[in-house]
Amino acid sequence: MLSTLVFLILVEALILCGAKFAGKGFIENPFDYKSTMAVRGILPVCIILHHISQTKPFQTSGELSMFVNIGFLFVGLFFFFSGYGLYKSYERKENYLDVFFSKRILTVLIPLLVMNVIYFAFSFHTEPQMPSAKRFLSLTGITLANSQAWYVIVAIIMYMLFYFSFKFISNKKISLAIIFAASLILVSLFIFGGHFFWWVKDYGSYWWLTEEGWKDGKWWRKITCWWFQGEWWVNSLITFFCGIVVAMNEKKIIEFFKKFYWVKFALSLAVIIFVHYLWVEKLGNKGINYWDEFDFGKPMIDHKAVLWCIQTVEVIFFCFFVYMLMMKVEFGNPVIKFLGNYSLELYLMQGLGLTFFAEIFFKKNITENIRFYFAVAVFASTFALALAFKFICSKILSAIRK
């Protein structure tokens, strides 16, 4: 298992090199900018490995299998850091919300728009038969040319919710309640809406239960065409709210974790492992998953709701586990500090390498070495593209802000 061995060693090296243990004491500001940026440098590497592990050759071989079902945890940390960072900036910087659009919104909106142009051009190679309407909408972001770009859209929505809630409402508890309620509404869009327009019927039956439905059905009603079609849109979303809560009550939370620290640390890890085992093994083996509409011939809203609740517990405890870990360990080395500054760009550019090199490497006679070379090629191309992508976006942002 060459890929598994090499990339596990790589991830461990990124985490451990340069890490400093606090000993019997605690790091009083575990989520300062330096520390969070270092951890953010690890996350895109893990997310890329998650997407590589989901390719068919890797799933067939079982390589990198430990990354298959945990991608939402890493994205959850991104949301957690974002919610935490927004509130801390709002609290510490005078008139922060007055420059919110130029400082926060534009820094994710411009990369999204530039990425749409890049993937729009790339789609002529990957999907030459794509309907013209869909191709045009992908340029605007209304449909996704890059399916992984959902994160940026959700981030922008949550940023806007934060802005309007804290800008125009003086009561912070009400602002927080609005963000929580809006998060649940967004979650419900998937739970009730599913992966596609399941409620559309042809001749009295659901279109997606027949081969003809898939063959002749309109592009706009097929799998994950629109926003919030897919569990990945929502199964880590609640951590944005959690990040704000931690930022608002950090002193109390730190004091709480300090008492019986190692007991709480071990318990949080145990909960993560148990809950993960519960939904992957126990519920999964009983046929309860997000895609049960294909097995039961109906939307199975209850299954989606149950799984979301279970995964929500896991991702929240994962964020608190990392928070407690950062109370004891300061992570940081030149590599992850560098990657932390390119986390968004790495996230958005990985899809190009995954698609392009899959066509080259995964034709036939897929060996262990070929899978490894594919993974290396994806990482190398993603890093190179991220550098160029950030350069382009920074130039555009500089021109706009002048």
Side-chain angles (χ1 to χ4, degrees):
M1 303 285 267
L2 180 61
S3 296
T4 299
L5 178 63
V6 171
F7 287 105
L8 279 181
I9 292 174
L10 171 66
V11 172
E12 290 176 3
L14 289 175
I15 294 172
L16 297 177
C17 287
K20 298 178 181 178
F21 182 57
K24 295 182 179 180
F26 294 93
I27 298 170
E28 292 301 325
N29 190 10
F31 263 33
D32 64 11
Y33 180 79
K34 178 182 175 182
S35 297
T36 54
M37 287 301 290
V39 176
R40 285 172 68 97
I42 301 169
L43 297 182
V45 175
C46 294
I47 291 173
I48 293 171
L49 288 172
H50 165 66
H51 287 131
I52 290 173
S53 73
Q54 290 186 317
T55 60
K56 187 175 180 179
F58 275 85
Q59 287 200 320
T60 301
S61 68
E63 288 188 275
L64 298 176
S65 60
M66 68 290 298
F67 288 96
V68 171
N69 293 309
I70 60 173
F72 76 105
L73 298 179
F74 306 127
V75 178
L77 267 181
F78 270 125
F79 280 128
F80 190 76
F81 287 150
S82 294
Y84 178 92
L86 286 182
Y87 186 81
K88 285 296 185 181
S89 296
Y90 163 74
E91 188 178 51
R92 295 169 179 169
K93 299 177 182 179
E94 188 176 356
N95 301 321
Y96 173 68
L97 294 181
D98 293 338
V99 294
F100 191 79
F101 283 89
S102 63
K103 294 293 186 181
R104 281 288 188 173
I105 299 297
L106 283 181
T107 54
V108 289
L109 179 60
I110 294 302
L112 176 65
L113 296 176
V114 174
M115 181 218 67
N116 284 341
V117 174
I118 295 171
Y119 278 79
F120 169 80
F122 191 57
S123 70
F124 285 93
H125 167 71
T126 56
E127 297 184 69
Q129 304 302 320
M130 182 188 296
S132 299
K134 182 180 180 182
R135 198 185 303 277
F136 171 76
L137 289 175
S138 72
L139 182 61
T140 66
I142 296 175
T143 63
L144 298 184
N146 174 14
S147 61
Q148 296 161 8
W150 67 267
Y151 167 78
V152 182
I153 292 170
V154 176
I156 291 174
I157 292 172
M158 301 311 294
Y159 285 7
M160 295 298 292
L161 281 170
F162 180 91
Y163 171 80
F164 286 109
S165 298
F166 284 92
K167 176 72 173 178
F168 300 106
I169 299 174
S170 58
N171 189 316
K172 294 179 181 179
K173 291 183 178 179
I174 294 177
S175 300
L176 193 62
I178 290 173
I179 291 174
F180 179 73
S183 299
L184 294 183
I185 291 171
L186 295 178
V187 169
S188 69
L189 292 179
F190 163 69
I191 289 177
F192 291 96
H195 296 92
F196 44 78
F197 287 173
W198 59 265
W199 55 86
V200 176
K201 291 188 175 183
D202 288 335
Y203 307 106
S205 62
Y206 290 126
W207 69 269
W208 45 274
L209 295 178
T210 65
E211 292 185 11
E212 293 78 11
W214 287 103
K215 182 179 179 181
D216 302 327
K218 302 295 185 181
W219 65 266
W220 50 264
R221 68 186 191 187
K222 294 187 178 179
I223 288 179
T224 65
C225 182
W226 305 101
W227 291 9
F228 293 95
Q229 290 185 325
E231 66 274 9
W232 48 90
W233 284 81
V234 300
N235 60 0
S236 58
L237 177 58
I238 200 67
T239 57
F240 181 88
F241 165 81
C242 294
I244 299 174
V245 172
V246 170
M248 293 176 71
N249 304 277
E250 188 163 29
K251 288 184 179 179
K252 293 180 180 179
I253 289 173
I254 287 178
E255 290 304 315
F256 171 77
F257 284 143
K258 281 182 178 180
K259 296 176 182 178
F260 305 105
Y261 171 85
W262 290 111
V263 173
K264 292 172 182 175
F265 184 84
L267 282 175
S268 64
L269 181 59
V271 170
I272 294 167
I273 295 171
F274 171 75
V275 172
H276 189 79
Y277 173 79
L278 176 64
W279 72 266
V280 173
E281 297 294 336
K282 288 295 184 180
L283 295 184
N285 288 336
K286 291 182 178 180
I288 299 177
N289 62 66
Y290 282 115
W291 296 84
D292 280 346
E293 53 263 56
F294 290 104
D295 294 325
F296 293 89
K298 53 184 179 179
M300 301 307 296
I301 292 170
D302 55 339
H303 284 196
K304 292 178 174 60
V306 167
L307 285 170
W308 178 80
C309 290
I310 293 172
Q311 287 190 329
T312 294
V313 172
E314 182 178 357
V315 74
I316 289 174
F317 270 85
F318 180 71
C319 289
F320 285 133
F321 172 79
V322 173
Y323 189 89
M324 283 191 282
L325 183 63
M326 293 174 69
M327 287 175 61
K328 278 289 187 180
V329 182
E330 181 182 351
F331 298 98
N333 59 66
V335 176
I336 58 175
K337 289 178 182 177
F338 175 81
L339 294 177
N341 289 316
Y342 288 84
S343 57
L344 177 62
E345 292 77 14
L346 290 166
Y347 183 90
L348 292 178
M349 290 294 102
Q350 60 179 307
L352 294 175
L354 282 163
T355 303
F356 179 77
F357 288 110
E359 294 181 0
I360 295 175
F361 287 96
F362 296 156
K363 291 182 178 180
K364 56 182 180 179
N365 298 325
I366 302 172
T367 64
E368 182 179 50
N369 286 340
I370 286 177
R371 288 190 295 270
F372 175 72
Y373 296 147
F374 165 77
V376 171
V378 169
F379 270 101
S381 62
T382 300
F383 292 150
L385 289 168
L387 292 172
F389 183 65
K390 189 177 183 71
F391 175 80
I392 294 170
C393 293
S394 63
K395 291 296 182 182
I396 295 174
L397 282 167
S398 296
I400 292 174
R401 289 168 176 165
K402 283 184 178 180

